[in-house]
Amino acid sequence: MASVSVDEAMRRAIELAARGLGTTSPNPVVGCVLLDDDGQVVGEGFHAYAGGPHAEIVALAQAGQRAKGGTAVVTLEPCDHTGRTGPCSSALVQAGVARVVIAVPDPNPVASGGAATLRAAGVRVDLGVRGEEAEAGNVAWLTSMRRGWPYVIWKYAATVDGRSAALDGTSMWITSEAARIDVHALRGTVDAVLAGVGTVLADDPRLTARNLRDGSLAIRQPLRVVVDSSGRTPADARVRDGAARTWIATADEVGADPDGRVDLTALLAALHQRGVRAVLLEGGPRLAGAFLRAGLVDKIVGYVAPRLLGAGPTALVDAGVSTIAEAIDLEFVDVTQIGPDLRITALPRKREG
Ligand SMILES: NC(=O)c1ccc[n+]([C@@H]2O[C@H](COP(=O)([O-])OP(=O)(O)OC[C@H]3O[C@@H](n4cnc5c(N)ncnc54)[C@H](OP(=O)(O)O)[C@@H]3O)[C@@H](O)[C@H]2O)c1
């Protein structure tokens, strides 16, 4: 078998890491490739679920004796602490690995320090290989660990003229089945799905991750959160159907903003405390406006249907913009056709000051 460069091995490790997206929270996604001293791949692994073996341990188990003198290529700095599993830094030292190549350092103060431990044991450590790519694959976890609240993705569906419903309020279904299947896949990658009580009262959504063809539930369900200042969610609302965990987040429990509504910063901090690292904000327009006004949205995923309505509610309400100079500027990072619709992915640009 041909030998593999460290760069190629890191590309593969990043691919492996992505397989854990949606199932590792509150842990990061991590991939690892072990090369022997001839550059042959002797082990591969990824972190599949919280509490399960770390990527390095899976790869070491595959490699056995062949890890000795080899190179471990890992997307995130190996952990240095005993949590639900032992420290990966020690496991690498014990296996006799000679070199460890890391894409991104671990920002989690509890687990970091693996690189120092490895160096102290005489292992050569290189940092930063394909760092940007690995960072992008772990962006939700890294962002939430660095600042202490979850990564927020706002998702909406609209017509080309930005309408989320017709004048008479009918909105089912603005986008195609293909787009809705894509949304369910997106739900499967996050830890919590958020909706305002306005959406719950108007549409009575389930907010579960499902197979749309047969209605079956995905194995792992995000926490359903209704942002509901005074507890108006009806007792028989579908979000209370027991199909997944649900939190009706009231102002009494979370804390109130100056208008007496749920304080969104406190809400995100509370979710972080519960181990939530990535949140999908599913609306509606008023809650999305409040999140954007507060600068709490990290990514926007818009499904745009090839239709026009010319009247009716818009996908976003009151985002704190009253003049063009205050517009929330975005950077498009991806545009993909999903069935007849477009999926537009954009990042809000950081505001000055
Ligand atoms: N096209 C789409 O992508 C999409 C997605 C979802 C919904 N929708 C549509 O949106 C419509 C509902 O819109 P909506 O704007 O009434 O619903 P919403 O944004 O889901 O809910 C708004 C409500 O959230 C509560 N809330 C709690 N804390 C808040 C805070 N800090 N800031 C703002 N709101 C807070 C408020 O009620 P309290 O003060 O009582 O707490 C507020 O009235 C429905 O017709 C639905 O079909 C469209």
Side-chain angles (χ1 to χ4, degrees), residues 154-155 194-200 281-290 314-317:
W154 171 46
K155 167 252 141 189
L194 256 69
V197 66
T199 296
V200 169
L281 171 61
E282 294 226 22
R286 229 168 289 279
L287 188 64
T314 52
L316 184 63
V317 170

Side-chain angles (χ1 to χ4, degrees), residues 194-245:
L194 256 69
V197 66
T199 296
V200 169
L201 292 172
D203 297 349
D204 197 15
R206 289 186 176 85
L207 299 180
T208 47
R210 299 187 300 281
N211 178 330
L212 280 193
R213 295 253 152 78
D214 62 13
S216 61
L217 290 167
I219 292 173
R220 185 180 168 278
Q221 290 294 328
L223 171 69
R224 300 180 287 189
V225 183
V226 181
V227 189
D228 180 3
S229 312
S230 52
R232 295 191 288 143
T233 302
D236 60 352
R238 284 180 178 153
V239 285
R240 297 199 197 253
D241 64 5
R245 289 171 307 142

Side-chain angles (χ1 to χ4, degrees), residues 111-328:
S112 65
T117 300
L118 288 162
R119 284 194 180 111
V123 177
R124 174 180 162 194
V125 176
D126 297 294
L127 214 105
V129 174
R130 286 190 181 258
E132 266 184 39
E133 216 175 305
E135 171 105 20
N138 224 351
V139 66
W141 185 84
L142 287 166
T143 308
S144 69
M145 288 317 289
R146 285 179 189 137
R147 69 184 184 193
W149 74 85
Y151 188 80
V152 177
I153 304 166
W154 171 46
K155 167 252 141 189
Y156 71 92
T159 59
V160 166
D161 57 334
R163 309 280 169 180
S164 64
L167 194 56
D168 65 357
T170 49
S171 63
M172 295 203 176
W173 302 96
I174 278 198
T175 48
S176 64
E177 186 184 44
R180 295 198 305 278
I181 289 172
D182 201 64
V183 170
H184 281 264
L186 185 58
R187 280 184 189 162
T189 68
V190 297
D191 311 312
V193 173
L194 256 69
V197 66
T199 296
V200 169
L201 292 172
D203 297 349
D204 197 15
R206 289 186 176 85
L207 299 180
T208 47
R210 299 187 300 281
N211 178 330
L212 280 193
R213 295 253 152 78
D214 62 13
S216 61
L217 290 167
I219 292 173
R220 185 180 168 278
Q221 290 294 328
L223 171 69
R224 300 180 287 189
V225 183
V226 181
V227 189
D228 180 3
S229 312
S230 52
R232 295 191 288 143
T233 302
D236 60 352
R238 284 180 178 153
V239 285
R240 297 199 197 253
D241 64 5
R245 289 171 307 142
T246 301
W247 181 30
I248 310 295
T250 61
D252 270 354
E253 188 179 354
V254 175
D257 69 11
D259 299 323
R261 295 215 159 107
V262 174
D263 180 324
L264 301 180
T265 310
L267 174 69
L268 290 179
L271 286 169
H272 190 78
Q273 284 290 321
R274 290 175 174 225
V276 169
R277 301 289 172 256
V279 163
L280 187 62
L281 171 61
E282 294 226 22
R286 229 168 289 279
L287 188 64
F291 266 85
L292 281 156
R293 219 165 43 236
L296 295 172
V297 172
D298 295 296
K299 185 158 104 175
I300 297 166
V301 180
Y303 294 88
V304 180
R307 313 171 98 176
L308 296 170
L309 284 166
T314 52
L316 184 63
V317 170
D318 193 10
V321 177
S322 53
T323 177
I324 193 75
E326 293 169 358
I328 299 166

